[in-house]
């Protein structure tokens, strides 16, 4: 369901101390914006309504958190959820920030000086409607190499999804981008880890009987040839598969037509 425009969102966010109003201007100095800049920094890409981020950040004041989503009309809900969680805990929201940004262009807002130890990607858009849309996935190799520039060596990506196709493809994506998958499950709740915080989408899909798939990927080495392969992954790997699938579909359509003519 498409969310309605909220005219109050931007003014309320601009009045919020933990909202980054001009994210592109913070490139190279994100840590300095926090009350305790020496602390590790974790990101949530596609933080949505902020339920996960709010509970995670309030439970770990020794870590700085930055939640990113593309639009103010969603981020305003994250702002309110964060306010609610910190008020309930009677502590100031001084280890959390939120900002609006197109994650496909995250390199415009982060540099290697903005070192991040962990990235969370929860229930992102699987981009399954058209095969040519897969390059927009947040776990696609062309995205993963952008994250590599500011993710610490040995840094982690925690990934959860309900979508089986996205999950299986992501296993290949992480390997291509120089990550090692050190833990995975195709049913997170069968033996749920203590660290898991269930998101709103997670609860919804679980109620529908759809298991949550999850993994932890660790950044390893990747040479320049590997980076170039990731940048061209759609052209080198996925485009040929699309052409082969289209050719097969055309051949099958022609065979059906021939069979129909023969029956007549």
């Amino acid at each position: 369901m498409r969310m309605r425009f909220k005219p109050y969102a931007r003014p309320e966010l601009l009045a919020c101390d933990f909202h980054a109003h001009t994210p592109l201007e913070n490139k190279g100095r994100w840590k300095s914006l926090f009350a305790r800049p020496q602390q590790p920094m974790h990101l949530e890409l596609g933080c949505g309504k902020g339920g996960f981020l709010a509970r995670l950040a309030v439970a770990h004041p020794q870590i700085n958190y930055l939640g990113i989503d593309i639009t103010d009309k969603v981020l305003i809900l994250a702002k309110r959820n964060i306010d609610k969680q910190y008020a309930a805990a009677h502590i100031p929201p001084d280890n959390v920030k939120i900002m609006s940004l197109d994650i496909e262009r995250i390199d415009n807002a982060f540099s290697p000086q903005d070192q991040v130890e962990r990235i969370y990607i929860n229930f992102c858009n699987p981009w399954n409607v058209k095969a040519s849309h897969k390059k927009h996935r947040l776990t696609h190799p062309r995205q993963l190499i952008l994250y590599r520039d500011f993710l610490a060596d040995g840094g982690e990506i925690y990934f959860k999804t309900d979508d089986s196709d996205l999950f299986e493809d992501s296993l290949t994506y992480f390997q291509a981008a120089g990550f090692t998958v050190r833990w995975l499950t195709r049913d997170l709740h069968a033996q749920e880890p203590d660290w898991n915080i269930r998101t709103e989408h997670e609860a919804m899909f679980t109620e529908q009987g759809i298991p949550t798939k999850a993994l932890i990927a660790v950044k390893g080495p990747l040479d320049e040839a590997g980076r170039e392969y990731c940048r061209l992954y759609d052209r080198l790997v996925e485009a040929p598969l699309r052409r082969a699938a289209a050719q097969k579909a055309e051949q099958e359509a022609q065979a059906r037509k021939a069979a129909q003519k023969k029956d007549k």
Side-chain angles (χ1 to χ4, degrees):
M1 182 184 295
R2 182 165 294 181
M3 193 172 291
R4 293 181 179 178
F5 172 70
K6 296 179 174 66
Y8 55 83
R10 193 63 183 170
E12 187 172 331
L13 288 171
L14 290 175
C16 172
D17 290 337
F18 57 83
H19 175 260
H21 309 325
T22 54
L24 300 187
E25 296 178 10
N26 296 325
K27 185 174 183 177
R29 62 182 194 94
W30 279 105
K31 290 196 173 187
S32 69
L33 303 183
F34 291 90
R36 295 174 294 281
Q38 74 280 5
Q39 295 186 165
M41 184 164 66
H42 294 180
L43 303 186
E44 186 185 4
L45 304 182
C47 65
K49 298 177 183 178
F52 173 85
L53 177 65
R55 285 178 288 161
L56 185 67
V58 80
H60 300 282
Q62 76 281 9
I63 297 171
N64 294 329
Y65 292 91
L66 176 57
I68 305 172
D69 214 289
I70 196 168
T71 177
D72 289 351
K73 62 187 178 183
V74 175
L75 212 60
I76 186 61
L77 302 178
K79 180 262 181 190
R80 292 180 177 184
N81 271 322
I82 291 168
D83 279 338
K84 181 179 178 181
Q85 287 290 332
Y86 277 83
H90 305 290
I91 58 175
D94 58 4
N95 70 318
V96 64
K97 301 286 181 185
I98 54 175
M99 70 164 174
S100 302
L101 185 75
D102 180 355
I103 296 168
E104 289 192 46
R105 295 167 177 80
I106 198 168
D107 55 324
N108 290 333
F110 286 84
S111 76
Q113 286 70 44
D114 302 305
Q115 183 170 283
V116 169
E117 280 71 31
R118 184 179 295 173
I119 296 173
Y120 294 93
I121 304 174
N122 296 321
F123 299 90
C124 61
N125 188 336
W127 291 100
N128 281 338
V129 176
K130 292 183 179 180
S132 60
H133 288 173
K134 288 183 178 181
K135 60 181 175 289
H136 299 297
R137 290 169 163 178
L138 295 186
T139 57
H140 194 274
R142 74 170 192 171
Q143 284 299 122
L144 293 176
I145 59 166
L146 299 183
Y147 312 152
R148 288 185 62 91
D149 287 343
F150 54 83
L151 184 64
D153 291 340
E156 301 170 319
I157 297 181
Y158 280 53
F159 173 56
K160 295 196 289 187
T161 181
D162 62 296
D163 191 277
S164 295
D165 289 341
L166 172 61
F167 186 75
E168 299 303 327
D169 287 348
S170 294
L171 293 175
T172 302
Y173 295 161
F174 280 109
Q175 182 180 12
F179 288 82
T180 299
V181 175
R182 71 169 174 84
W183 177 87
L184 70 85
T185 177
R186 291 176 175 83
D187 188 354
L188 180 61
H189 301 157
Q191 290 184 307
E192 190 167 2
D194 293 339
W195 48 258
N196 188 49
I197 295 176
R198 295 195 183 191
T199 71
E200 181 180 357
H201 282 93
E202 192 170 343
M204 178 183 70
F205 290 124
T206 299
E207 191 173 315
Q208 296 172 8
I210 301 172
T212 294
K213 278 66 71 175
L215 63 80
I216 300 173
V218 180
K219 178 186 172 183
L222 185 70
D223 60 19
E224 187 54 41
R227 292 179 64 88
E228 185 66 12
Y229 176 73
C230 289
R231 281 190 285 266
L232 300 176
Y233 191 88
D234 180 69
R235 186 190 307 174
L236 297 175
V237 179
E238 293 176 333
L241 292 175
R242 291 196 297 270
R243 288 194 294 270
Q247 185 178 18
K248 182 180 179 182
E250 178 62 25
Q251 291 171 346
E252 290 174 348
Q254 291 176 356
R256 285 194 298 271
K257 288 180 181 179
Q260 290 171 356
K261 287 182 179 179
K262 187 176 180 181
D263 290 342
K264 289 180 181 179

